[in-house]
Amino acid sequence: MVPTAVPRPPAHLRVVDPAKARAGAARRRRTGAPESPLARKRRARRINAVLAEAYPYAVAELDFRSPYELLVATVLSAQTTDVRVNATTPRLFAACPTPRALAEADEAEIQEIIRPLGFYRAKTRAIRTLAQKIVDDHDGEVPGRLEDLVTLPGVGRKTANVVLGNAFGIPGITVDTHFGRLARRFGWTAEEDPVKVERDVAALFEPRDWTDLSQRLVYHGRRICHSRRPACGVCPVADLCPSYGEGPTDTAQAAALLKYEFAPGREELLELFLAGRSRAQLQADGWPLSS
């Protein structure tokens, strides 16, 4: 009988001494010794630096070639996966390459294209209404200002910051479910409201770091710091996190929880990411990119 391989964390991840992680978490949890604002800022920036080493390839996980494509893809990503959206949008954008084309497209045709994403009737109405608003108010061009983007139907601050940061190069913090969860676990904020989370986190970082920070936290939340059972035992920022111990701290148990390219058995895929291969290239080559 062949023995089962013990799950191991990716070799490039920073290794943290469990005793140091436990001590750090206990110290930060003491209510009688609150962390100073300066200490919190320094710790937050150290976490960001470590995550940059863990996810040097972190970019928006939705495929796009223009602000229009990213905006529509982000709206379509509600209640489905980015992988599924990426498999669907090439056909959509081939049929509707501009906001005007989408606004004027046959509704039944759009429904059929985006059917795999779920809620396809509501999503068809949403993106066609959005496209019409862009045509009517912005001459068919997606605006590049937050105050304009949030006036578009179905576009809130999260979606607006995704588009600004990734399509226009304008710094923005994207507070999705993963970002909010990690910001609270890291002790950067105690807020639940996304706008307040954005405010608290923005105060800890330079604006130039906001977009990349957003990507890294989303990657970390999807791969290691899960909502129910975070893989604390392999987390590269375990010694910087006051929530260490919410998930398994045993290395093998934690490694078994890793997802996407960090998951056991996907070492070759991770090596390709670290070597600079893009998600689109890997998907075209047939690599499975889902969790």
Side-chain angles (χ1 to χ4, degrees):
M1 182 176 179
V2 178
T4 303
V6 177
R8 297 181 181 276
H12 79 291
L13 289 184
R14 174 175 176 260
V15 177
V16 176
D17 180 353
K20 184 178 180 182
R22 285 193 297 271
R27 182 176 67 254
R28 295 185 184 97
R29 286 171 179 165
R30 291 184 196 134
T31 56
E35 187 175 39
S36 71
L38 179 58
R40 183 179 300 110
K41 179 178 288 188
R42 287 175 173 169
R43 182 172 60 83
R45 294 185 179 190
R46 175 60 177 151
I47 288 174
N48 185 38
V50 173
L51 294 182
E53 295 174 354
Y55 309 103
Y57 49 85
V59 294
E61 294 191 275
L62 290 170
D63 295 336
F64 69 96
R65 297 168 299 180
S66 67
Y68 157 66
E69 290 190 358
L70 180 56
L71 178 59
V72 171
T74 304
V75 171
L76 291 176
S77 69
Q79 297 178 293
T80 189
T81 66
D82 290 350
V83 172
R84 188 165 292 174
V85 173
N86 289 338
T88 302
T89 49
R91 184 181 170 197
L92 174 65
F93 295 137
C96 305
T98 65
R100 187 177 299 277
L102 179 56
E104 296 175 352
D106 179 72
E107 186 168 333
E109 179 185 358
I110 302 304
Q111 287 181 0
E112 185 59 30
I113 292 173
I114 69 170
R115 182 185 291 268
L117 303 181
F119 305 99
Y120 61 93
R121 291 188 180 89
K123 288 183 177 182
T124 295
R125 288 193 298 271
I127 61 175
R128 292 182 76 242
T129 301
L130 171 63
Q132 188 64 60
K133 184 74 169 177
I134 294 171
V135 170
D136 292 343
D137 292 0
H138 301 284
D139 296 323
E141 297 292 333
V142 174
R145 299 194 310 166
L146 179 67
E147 53 266 41
D148 293 329
L149 283 167
V150 296
T151 67
L152 299 175
V155 177
R157 288 185 67 90
K158 183 190 82 170
T159 297
N161 278 326
V162 168
V163 174
L164 289 173
N166 295 284
F168 288 103
I170 299 172
I173 291 177
T174 304
V175 183
D176 70 352
T177 301
H178 299 290
F179 190 101
R181 179 177 73 252
L182 269 64
R184 287 184 288 274
R185 279 184 176 165
F186 289 157
W188 295 352
T189 183
E191 301 291 349
E192 295 285 342
D193 178 75
V195 175
K196 294 179 180 179
V197 172
E198 180 183 341
R199 176 203 63 199
D200 289 351
V201 175
L204 299 174
F205 298 92
E206 296 293 337
R208 64 174 179 268
D209 295 325
W210 290 350
T211 300
D212 288 340
L213 172 73
S214 299
Q215 307 291 11
R216 291 165 190 155
L217 260 65
V218 171
Y219 269 61
H220 195 58
R222 287 177 171 171
R223 288 151 179 80
I224 294 180
C225 196
H226 315 306
S227 59
R228 294 190 177 181
R229 295 190 74 203
C232 294
V234 296
C235 179
V237 296
D239 58 329
L240 301 167
C241 179
S243 301
Y244 174 78
E246 285 191 12
T249 58
D250 175 79
T251 300
Q253 290 180 10
L257 298 174
L258 297 175
K259 294 184 178 181
Y260 295 91
E261 70 277 5
F262 280 14
R266 291 192 171 182
E267 292 80 6
E268 187 176 355
L269 176 60
L270 175 58
E271 287 301 318
L272 291 171
F273 270 117
L274 292 172
R277 295 292 296 278
S278 71
R279 185 187 60 257
Q281 290 172 326
L282 294 170
Q283 189 167 341
D285 290 342
W287 285 92
L289 302 183
S290 62
S291 60

